[in-house]
Amino acid sequence: MKWERAGLVGAAIGVVAAGAAAGVAIERVTVGRGVRRKAQLALDTAGPYGSLRGQPGTAVAEDGTELYYETDEAAEVPPGPEAARRGWRRRREVAPAPAPLTVVFCHGYCLNQDAWHFQRDVLRGTVRAVYWDQRSHGRSEHGRDQAAGGPVTIDQLGRDLKAVLDAAAPEGPVVLVGHSMGGMTVMAFADQYPQYVRERVAGVGFVSTSSGKLAAVTLGLPAIGARAFRAVAPGLLRIMGSQAELVERARRATAELFAGVIKRYSFGSDVEPGVERFAERLIESTPIDVVAEFYPAFTEHEKAEALAVLDGLPALVLAGDRDLLTPSAHSTEIAERLPAAEAVIVPGAGHLVTFERPDVVNPALARLIARAADSVRAPVGDGLRELAATGDAQGVHGG
């Protein structure tokens, strides 16, 4: 019983940023564990999710941590009529083509770069894109500062982004896109490197994220439950992080509860079983000691004032209206500080809106990239403009 109780706590805590909370009442799935595992393997094999790969590279953070990234290059993009009118063709005749626009995607907590699968799939070949694993996530090295006992800070993640930009996009305009913790990373970057923003950043996208006040989020729990969770979570996570092997075993043993918690905190509606399993697989891959290391940083994240650095740039602010982790009200506050941004609140969607509603997210991102490219006179593929127009035609974009 003691081991199973530890597993229940570990399952709940292990989903905090893509989704978890202690004390959530979820009925156990009645399917036997062996049958469930066979079903999981079948979904993992049948689904192509997370299989896209690009040209690998490594950036080195200030503490020596190796940060893994992949680059998808754009196909040859001929200058369209608009680019020709702006003199792009004429410049190309007398000088080498300028550095292309690069879109850099920053994933959320307890995920990795594969979380952008549904966006990467449609954007490939239309624009140069970089996908990276934040420190201690995915294929990146466990943070060396953290291995030495130091804390994780969102500011440190912003400096990690700078290292990735220097390595993967050393010249040319960039668009920065962040989901959840990735959006916070972008804000921290802007706060620390305003000159870089002025000189190089052509656009910014914030998906299911927050500029602060995360300590007040209830996680969908009653107020008393939310207060209790915030009070005990830091200490409990420290203990769990120090007993990582035991907690991981317990988390695997209670996989049916873990899957239920992920579904509740990741999605606002029913999704295909393969998509649900994909989210589960990504979150399961995050070690509990990494979960423990990162959690305290979110309550300290306050970057609303940093948004002023980004004001005036082409921008997108998007969230689901059933997001329990970074409620859509937080996106509304970001949009109010970026009045030129396109704001999109997706009805019925949860925190992983990028998985749940790519039919809305992808055209919105395409519109952002197209606006950013036009602002710096950079060419993009016709496929991207066609995708952007699809969203407009469906009337899914906000004001």
Side-chain angles (χ1 to χ4, degrees), residues 120-191:
R120 190 173 189 172
D121 188 38
V122 298
L123 292 175
R124 296 192 101 182
T126 68
V127 68
R128 186 174 192 268
V130 172
Y131 303 86
W132 66 292
D133 292 335
Q134 302 233 35
R135 64 172 51 226
S136 305
H137 291 70
R139 294 172 175 82
S140 284
E141 184 183 8
H142 184 216
R144 296 190 182 185
D145 276 350
Q146 288 67 55
V152 174
T153 67
I154 302 299
D155 282 341
Q156 184 179 45
L157 303 185
R159 295 191 292 275
D160 287 352
L161 174 56
K162 178 62 163 53
V164 171
L165 287 167
D166 289 346
E171 56 181 350
V174 297
V175 175
L176 305 178
V177 180
H179 170 262
S180 192
M181 180 179 76
M184 301 173 204
T185 298
V186 171
M187 295 176 206
F189 170 83
D191 190 37

Side-chain angles (χ1 to χ4, degrees), residues 22-40:
V24 178
I26 299 175
E27 294 183 0
R28 285 179 176 268
V29 177
T30 58
V31 180
R33 205 169 279 155
V35 174
R36 174 178 169 76
R37 184 56 187 155
K38 288 181 180 179
Q40 289 175 333

Side-chain angles (χ1 to χ4, degrees), residues 58-101:
T58 302
V60 180
E62 60 184 1
D63 65 343
T65 299
E66 294 187 353
L67 304 169
Y68 178 81
Y69 66 84
E70 293 180 0
T71 304
D72 288 350
E73 296 292 347
E76 183 76 20
V77 180
E82 184 173 355
R85 286 197 301 272
R86 294 182 178 194
W88 188 84
R89 187 192 302 274
R90 186 167 57 254
R91 288 197 305 274
R92 189 179 183 187
E93 291 173 353
V94 299
L101 178 78

Side-chain angles (χ1 to χ4, degrees), residues 379-396:
V380 292
D382 290 340
L384 185 133
R385 294 191 185 277
E386 291 170 2
L387 178 60
T390 298
D392 285 336
Q394 294 177 348
V396 296

Side-chain angles (χ1 to χ4, degrees), residues 43-326:
L43 289 171
D44 292 346
T45 302
Y49 310 129
S51 61
L52 302 177
R53 300 268 65 89
Q55 181 65 37
T58 302
V60 180
E62 60 184 1
D63 65 343
T65 299
E66 294 187 353
L67 304 169
Y68 178 81
Y69 66 84
E70 293 180 0
T71 304
D72 288 350
E73 296 292 347
E76 183 76 20
V77 180
E82 184 173 355
R85 286 197 301 272
R86 294 182 178 194
W88 188 84
R89 187 192 302 274
R90 186 167 57 254
R91 288 197 305 274
R92 189 179 183 187
E93 291 173 353
V94 299
L101 178 78
T102 300
V103 187
V104 181
F105 289 87
C106 310
H107 69 78
Y109 174 46
C110 295
L111 300 171
N112 61 46
Q113 65 174 268
D114 290 342
W116 295 106
H117 174 90
F118 301 96
Q119 291 65 54
R120 190 173 189 172
D121 188 38
V122 298
L123 292 175
R124 296 192 101 182
T126 68
V127 68
R128 186 174 192 268
V130 172
Y131 303 86
W132 66 292
D133 292 335
Q134 302 233 35
R135 64 172 51 226
S136 305
H137 291 70
R139 294 172 175 82
S140 284
E141 184 183 8
H142 184 216
R144 296 190 182 185
D145 276 350
Q146 288 67 55
V152 174
T153 67
I154 302 299
D155 282 341
Q156 184 179 45
L157 303 185
R159 295 191 292 275
D160 287 352
L161 174 56
K162 178 62 163 53
V164 171
L165 287 167
D166 289 346
E171 56 181 350
V174 297
V175 175
L176 305 178
V177 180
H179 170 262
S180 192
M181 180 179 76
M184 301 173 204
T185 298
V186 171
M187 295 176 206
F189 170 83
D191 190 37
Q192 296 173 93
Y193 302 101
Q195 186 66 28
Y196 187 107
V197 172
R198 287 189 289 270
E199 295 176 355
R200 298 277 309 278
V201 177
V204 63
F206 293 118
V207 182
S208 301
T209 191
S210 172
S211 61
K213 303 178 184 177
L214 286 170
V217 174
T218 67
L219 302 171
L221 300 172
I224 188 170
R227 287 196 298 271
F229 174 76
R230 288 195 297 269
V232 304
L236 187 57
L237 279 165
R238 282 195 297 272
I239 294 171
M240 293 169 65
S242 68
Q243 300 292 326
E245 184 177 352
L246 172 63
V247 174
E248 293 294 351
R249 284 162 48 203
R251 191 163 72 167
R252 289 192 296 271
T254 56
E256 67 273 16
L257 175 61
F258 185 72
V261 174
I262 290 175
K263 183 177 180 179
R264 171 172 170 80
Y265 283 91
S266 297
F267 306 113
S269 62
D270 289 334
V271 297
E272 294 180 6
V275 174
E276 185 178 327
R277 173 58 188 158
F278 178 43
E280 182 182 335
R281 196 172 77 233
L282 288 177
I283 295 166
E284 282 177 344
S285 70
T286 307
I288 193 63
D289 55 336
V290 173
V291 178
E293 288 168 355
F294 275 69
Y295 177 74
F298 299 109
T299 57
E300 298 173 4
H301 167 65
E302 296 293 340
K303 284 290 184 287
E305 298 303 320
L307 294 171
V309 178
L310 304 167
D311 189 15
L313 291 174
L316 169 69
V317 181
L318 186 148
D321 71 353
R322 293 186 181 176
D323 190 335
L324 298 177
L325 297 173
T326 53

Side-chain angles (χ1 to χ4, degrees), residues 315-319 340-347 357 359-368 371 387-399:
L316 169 69
V317 181
L318 186 148
E342 177 184 6
V344 181
I345 303 300
V346 185
R357 294 300 305 275
D359 60 315
V360 176
V361 176
N362 296 350
L365 282 173
R367 290 194 298 274
L368 166 66
R371 291 198 310 273
L387 178 60
T390 298
D392 285 336
Q394 294 177 348
V396 296
H397 63 290

